[in-house]
Amino acid sequence: MLLNVIRSGLRMPALKDILIRMGWLAVVVPSIVFSVIATQTTLSEYEKDISKWVYGYINFGSFVVGVIAAIGIFWRKPRDWLAIVVSLMLVTWTSTGAGYEFWVATGIGGEDLNMLLAYFLSLPYTLLLSILILCVLLTFPDGKWTPRWTRVFFILAVIWTLLTPVYLCAVFVLALMGTMFENFLGSNAFFELFFVILPELFRLGVLVLGAFVQIYRLITTRDALHRQQIKWVTFMLVGMTFFYVAFNIGDIVFQLEAESALRITLFLFLLIFTYGFIGAFVISIFRYRLWDMDIVVNKALVYSALTTILGSLGIAGAVLFDYYAKLFLDESSPVLALFVILPLVILFVPVRDALQNFVDRHFKPEEIDFSGTMVEFSPEAQLMLSSGDILKILSRQVKEQLNVSGVEIYLRGGEGHLLLSEPAQSEPPAHVLSLPEAERRALEKGDVVVPADASQVSLYLPLMLRRAAKHEFLGVVALGRRENGVGYSSSVIKSLQKFGAEAGKVLYIAKLRENTGLNILERLASIERRLTDLKTDLA
């Protein structure tokens, strides 16, 4: 009974969305708490300024950037499982702590067991990070497990992740019973090897294999646009994975000193590739229309830069006024805060507008209004065009405006098959377009479809006849690869969808006019035959 209630509840979109959002927050909110406490602890422990900047300020800055990017992705794609995984990966990857400092600060377990319990309680966060980054490495950017054996590899990795706490508990119990199993355990070095080093090396080794799979996906993909979309993202993703592995191996195997030059250098390269991954991700979204996220990231760039600029000015102003207040005033006054806040309020609008203009100028999404482009579809021009002329104009204009390698138009036949109509074939039978069932259903609903294999066709545009109750599906325009290597922005897709309905209407009227003309000609021919027969009878 309870299972039936749960299953019926999960089928409800509203309940499913609530559970997804609660799960997302259950990871993000602790990450923020862990990062703040870990950063405070780091700043108090390190003595060198370079260490404070690298491990504290720059590292925490990458977390802030990661959270902003994650919020934008999740807000725009709350039902796309890979988008959710990427957003959580950005948060957990850039987090400055896994919770160890937080649990130590709570004092859980007392003096004797505090550090050990803190390690166990922070372990799930580290394992979650491993699962998320491995999932992204194996499925980015299309959410497909390619090659197929990667699905089995991921399942085995998850099983090992779930068994890791059990394994560590077993090793810990054996360590506590060391007096009874002295010959088996040997020494503390043996315990450290099995308790710390081997599980961590296995976890890192799995991530390295995942990085090689991502490289393999990039090399073997046949789709040029796909390769353009992910090449820099893959480079940064693989780079930060390798430096993450190198940094952790340096810690657990070679036990590098906390403020050694090599450890700082490895961590600095890790941060560079982390920032690079987020930057490449943003560029792919704008340049290659990855995930159709251009509008969200546009606003995220503007307001994150605005927050950084005004925040820096506010901090600098507060420090400056505090300095002069101590020099010339006996006691501080709340009025002094106005000297810091007032310039920020005045600068808010002009700085925001300047940033918006800059982002629009350099990252503005592609916009094409097909309604104004196709002047041949005006009512006056339609009377002079046949359906064949309309198909030729449609093919030529779409090819020129979108700069694609080729255009094919398939019209729906009597049995529902999509038959090639442009370019026209000299000899029958006409070529039939075969589509997966899911893509065919989406097209029949009037949705623009990006095919699973976009190596030859980059987009399918449905030709629709909009009616009040039920729309009529007339055919498909298959667009080849874009010559400039970019994808389709959300504004272009919306314009294409609207244009598909307009083109479908024009084509339907042209065919209706031709059919009506044929009927009239057939009737005239029939009347002429009857008159001829009548003359013959009279004669």
Side-chain angles (χ1 to χ4, degrees), residues 55 65 83 253 346 356 368 416 500:
Y55 295 116
V65 174
V253 177
I346 296 173
Q356 187 68 66
I368 300 176

Side-chain angles (χ1 to χ4, degrees), residues 516-535:
T516 303
L518 288 175
N519 290 335
I520 293 174
L521 291 176
E522 288 178 359
R523 290 181 182 180
L524 290 175
S526 178
I527 293 172
E528 185 177 356
R529 285 196 301 271
R530 290 181 183 179
L531 289 175
T532 303
D533 294 340
L534 182 60
K535 290 179 181 179

Side-chain angles (χ1 to χ4, degrees), residues 116-308:
L116 185 61
L117 287 177
Y119 172 76
F120 269 105
L121 291 174
S122 63
L123 183 63
Y125 192 89
T126 303
L127 297 178
L128 174 63
L129 166 62
S130 300
I131 292 174
L132 292 173
I133 187 64
L134 181 62
C135 185
V136 173
L137 286 169
L138 298 180
T139 62
F140 187 82
D142 53 6
K144 296 179 180 179
W145 301 90
T146 306
R148 291 183 179 274
W149 57 263
T150 56
R151 187 190 298 269
V152 178
F153 173 57
F154 179 74
I155 292 173
L156 293 176
V158 171
I159 292 174
W160 164 251
T161 299
L162 297 176
L163 292 177
T164 298
V166 179
Y167 165 80
L168 294 178
C169 287
V171 174
F172 179 64
V173 170
L174 289 176
L176 292 177
M177 300 171 65
T179 54
M180 297 175 58
F181 299 89
E182 189 170 346
N183 294 331
F184 174 71
L185 290 174
S187 63
N188 290 333
F190 186 88
F191 167 70
E192 184 179 354
L193 173 65
F194 282 89
F195 191 78
V196 179
I197 296 178
L198 288 184
E200 189 69 4
L201 287 178
F202 185 86
R203 182 179 75 88
L204 297 175
V206 170
L207 294 183
V208 171
L209 290 177
F212 278 114
V213 171
Q214 180 65 208
I215 296 173
Y216 173 80
R217 284 165 60 88
L218 177 65
I219 293 174
T220 58
T221 181
R222 295 177 298 168
D223 182 7
L225 175 59
H226 193 174
R227 189 179 295 110
Q228 285 289 96
Q229 285 179 331
I230 68 171
K231 63 179 181 180
W232 288 111
V233 177
T234 297
F235 175 71
M236 294 298 174
L237 183 61
V238 171
M240 71 182 194
T241 302
F242 281 128
F243 276 105
Y244 174 78
V245 171
F247 176 78
N248 280 273
I249 288 177
D251 267 355
I252 64 174
V253 177
F254 300 102
Q255 297 181 347
L256 298 176
E257 294 183 6
E259 296 185 88
S260 65
L262 179 58
R263 189 173 187 272
I264 293 176
T265 302
L266 288 175
F267 193 75
L268 189 58
F269 273 104
L270 171 60
L271 290 178
I272 290 172
F273 275 93
T274 299
Y275 278 105
F277 171 74
I278 299 173
F281 196 76
V282 171
I283 292 172
S284 293
I285 288 169
F286 277 117
R287 174 68 176 165
Y288 303 113
R289 317 307 168 198
L290 181 63
W291 284 4
D292 190 20
M293 293 277 298
D294 41 288
I295 296 175
V296 173
V297 179
N298 182 294
K299 296 301 179 184
L301 281 176
V302 171
Y303 284 98
S304 60
L306 179 66
T307 303
T308 302

